[in-house]
Amino acid sequence: MYKRTPALAGIALLGVSSLLLAGCASGTPADGSVEITVAGPNQWNSETTTFGAGWDQLIADFEKANPGIRVKTNVLPGADWSQTLSTQLSAGTAPELVFNQAPHSPEQIVPLDEYLNEPNPYVEGNERWIDGFSQAYFGESATRARNAAGNFEWVPFNLVIAGMFYNADALEAAGVTAPFESVGDLVEGCAKLKDAGYDGIAADRGPLTSTWIFNTISSALLDKYQNKLNQFDAEGNPGTAAEVTQKSLAMAYLTGELDPTTTPEFGESLRLLKEVYDACMTPNWSGINGGGAFHGAEDFLSGRAAIAWGSNFSAPALDVVDWEWGTFGFPDVSKEDSTYSDGTPSRFGAAPGGTSYMIPATTKGDKLDAAVKFMQFITSPNAQGWLDSSGGIPSTNDTVEAPGLEGLTSGEWALTPVVKDIGISSKAQGGLPDFSGFLLGTKTEAKQLEELKADFILWAHELAADGGWTEDWAQN
């Protein structure tokens, strides 16, 4: 359990949430310095002009070390940052550094391979920038580090891991012990919490809670197929990788090796997802606006709900609460929970999907050089203060994670699943599947599975087009 000393009292947006600002190519300042703009969602607090005090200090330190460069921050509104940046990338009007989760194609982004093979000037003794990263997450053998064309196009400023935060006082009052061993234990615990006057798990109408639960369950249930699915290495060549790559998943969907309508683990994942929602979620979750540090942030931070999903970036929001809190991963799917379980534990793993930025291809000359320098600075020991203030998990080997995250960053939950991100969705769908109709009972399981199949196939075709894949199966 952990209780923070009040410091940064803002309510943080999740690392996989949204933001807008109209197109922003920077002019040249009157003093002749180079000005670059960082544009993306605020993942940490409710501020509309800054990512937080730690971020502002980081920029001040960078500008002191590089007196000829100025850095502006464009905090984009939560509802439509993705569409805004995607439109700007297509129009050639995007600023110099943009959040990497905006839909785009490889040719719209500067490949960073050349820079990553050169030294990071802000790390003493470094010979290749890329060697300074935690190689399992961002390196030449990391399966999720490259785009479909095989290039490094973004740099992770930190790592992200999600999990469940809990109100220790509420669990104690209800006679519930965390962490839960199995999905069945979680369902029983939610009943006790409700008897004690608490909502079980805070939720809102946003898609992240359902997607993370579905992905956790399906990754465990589908782990038994990893040898069949693992067909390409990290560079997209025939072989195997430490994790099943997106290219391997795409081939499985296009060849029918994985089919939500016939592979029974998909339907079982939906059944367990709905069981958790029916037993645990805060009432009227479908009518609650998303946003905030946690899914269902108001319900959790007010003390009405005992548990909420969040990322490591959520931790600073708990500065304002007067109860002790802790973290744990989603419980395992036991053999008692499902006949399809083979005992594979629930895993999520840290990943370079937190605060990662890329440089639009329209960025040239001094601005390009300045943007690369800022990326190098923030992936050096100079970023430690920002990591501490923002609940950060470092992407590099020479910094350490912020305190209070041990329940998410240790044990099986901290390990990356071999079969990962099953519930990924097409650009047309917005990157995340929609389970709301099924969870509310207005859509049948069969219909949900048909929609998942169609969307996964569309996603695979989009990936094949972006990567220029020429294999016969990619044309199906």
Side-chain angles (χ1 to χ4, degrees):
M1 290 182 293
Y2 191 73
K3 190 170 183 178
R4 296 175 66 92
T5 301
L8 298 177
I11 293 187
L13 281 173
L14 284 168
V16 202
S17 286
S18 326
L19 278 173
L20 160 206
L21 211 86
C24 27
S26 305
T28 302
D31 62 4
S33 60
V34 176
E35 184 174 89
I36 59 174
T37 297
V38 180
N42 189 338
Q43 299 165 278
W44 306 276
N45 56 63
S46 58
E47 297 290 333
T48 59
T49 60
T50 175
F51 293 156
W55 176 265
D56 293 342
Q57 183 61 55
L58 178 73
I59 288 178
D61 292 343
F62 174 76
E63 291 179 343
K64 182 177 180 180
N66 299 272
I69 303 174
R70 292 185 186 179
V71 181
K72 290 177 59 180
T73 302
N74 277 345
V75 179
L76 305 181
D80 35 25
W81 66 266
S82 180
Q83 181 61 50
T84 297
L85 290 180
S86 182
T87 299
Q88 291 175 354
L89 286 167
S90 296
T93 59
E96 291 74 26
L97 285 161
V98 298
F99 195 55
N100 78 321
Q101 293 180 33
H104 63 279
S105 55
E107 68 271 10
Q108 294 172 337
I109 306 300
V110 173
L112 297 175
D113 305 64
E114 176 184 348
Y115 300 100
L116 287 164
N117 280 309
E118 296 296 326
N120 182 340
Y122 304 105
V123 179
E124 184 176 356
N126 176 259
E127 296 183 0
R128 292 199 316 160
W129 182 13
I130 197 168
D131 292 338
F133 292 91
S134 299
Q135 295 298 294
Y137 304 109
F138 189 79
E140 291 169 328
S141 62
T143 59
R144 306 294 167 127
R146 291 180 173 84
N147 62 17
N151 298 121
F152 293 97
E153 65 176 14
W154 46 264
V155 166
F157 295 170
N158 52 31
L159 302 178
V160 63
I161 191 168
M164 305 179 84
F165 289 71
Y166 67 93
N167 179 334
D169 296 356
L171 266 62
E172 182 178 8
V176 175
T177 301
F180 301 97
E181 295 295 324
S182 68
V183 172
D185 290 339
L186 173 62
V187 169
E188 290 179 10
C190 289
K192 292 180 180 179
L193 286 164
K194 290 187 177 182
D195 288 343
Y198 296 96
D199 295 342
I201 302 175
D204 54 43
R205 68 185 184 189
L208 279 174
T209 302
S210 56
T211 298
W212 285 351
I213 295 175
F214 178 83
N215 278 347
T216 299
I217 294 171
S218 59
S219 290
L221 295 184
L222 290 165
D223 184 79
K224 63 176 73 76
Y225 301 122
Q226 62 172 271
N227 291 334
K228 288 184 179 180
L229 300 176
N230 203 347
Q231 298 297 317
F232 295 98
D233 65 17
E235 296 182 2
N237 300 314
T240 60
E243 305 163 24
V244 173
T245 65
Q246 291 190 332
K247 187 173 183 178
S248 288
L249 274 181
M251 185 176 79
Y253 288 134
L254 291 179
T255 60
E257 184 70 44
L258 275 184
D259 184 333
T261 64
T262 59
T263 306
E265 286 80 3
F266 284 93
E268 186 72 346
S269 298
L270 286 180
R271 183 188 70 78
L272 290 169
L273 170 64
K274 193 170 190 314
E275 181 178 347
V276 171
Y277 259 74
D278 289 346
C280 295
M281 295 303 166
T282 189
N284 191 37
W285 58 266
S286 62
I288 298 173
N289 289 331
F294 300 95
H295 306 181
E298 182 179 349
D299 204 36
F300 181 55
L301 294 174
S302 68
R304 291 192 298 271
I307 304 168
W309 278 88
S311 74
N312 48 292
F313 303 144
S314 305
L318 291 165
D319 290 343
V320 301
V321 303
D322 59 2
W323 32 266
E324 292 189 345
W325 58 272
T327 56
F328 57 83
F330 189 79
D332 297 340
V333 180
S334 69
K335 294 181 180 180
E336 289 73 26
D337 295 326
S338 172
T339 56
Y340 293 98
S341 171
D342 65 355
T344 299
S346 291
R347 296 171 179 145
F348 197 92
T355 310
S356 299
Y357 275 74
M358 54 192 182
I359 303 174
T362 50
T363 305
K364 308 286 186 181
D366 291 343
K367 287 182 177 287
L368 174 58
D369 293 341
V372 171
K373 285 183 178 180
F374 185 74
M375 284 182 158
Q376 292 169 328
F377 190 84
I378 203 170
T379 53
S380 77
N382 293 289
Q384 186 63 64
W386 172 62
L387 290 169
D388 290 343
S389 69
S390 62
I393 300 173
S395 61
T396 57
N397 298 316
D398 45 23
T399 45
V400 297
E401 71 182 47
L405 303 173
E406 294 80 9
L408 303 182
T409 58
S410 60
E412 291 285 348
W413 185 251
L415 302 179
T416 302
V418 179
V419 182
K420 183 177 172 63
D421 291 340
I422 296 300
I424 200 164
S425 193
S426 64
K427 296 176 187 177
Q429 179 65 29
L432 294 171
D434 180 12
F435 297 106
S436 58
F438 170 72
L439 295 172
L440 292 168
T442 61
K443 183 183 296 181
T444 66
E445 177 182 309
K447 180 65 174 176
Q448 181 72 70
L449 291 171
E450 289 173 2
E451 290 182 0
L452 288 177
K453 177 179 180 177
D455 194 41
F456 292 171
I457 289 174
L458 178 57
W459 167 80
H461 281 304
E462 289 175 348
L463 207 64
D466 285 347
W469 301 339
T470 58
E471 293 92 340
D472 290 342
W473 58 263
Q475 314 307 315
N476 292 341

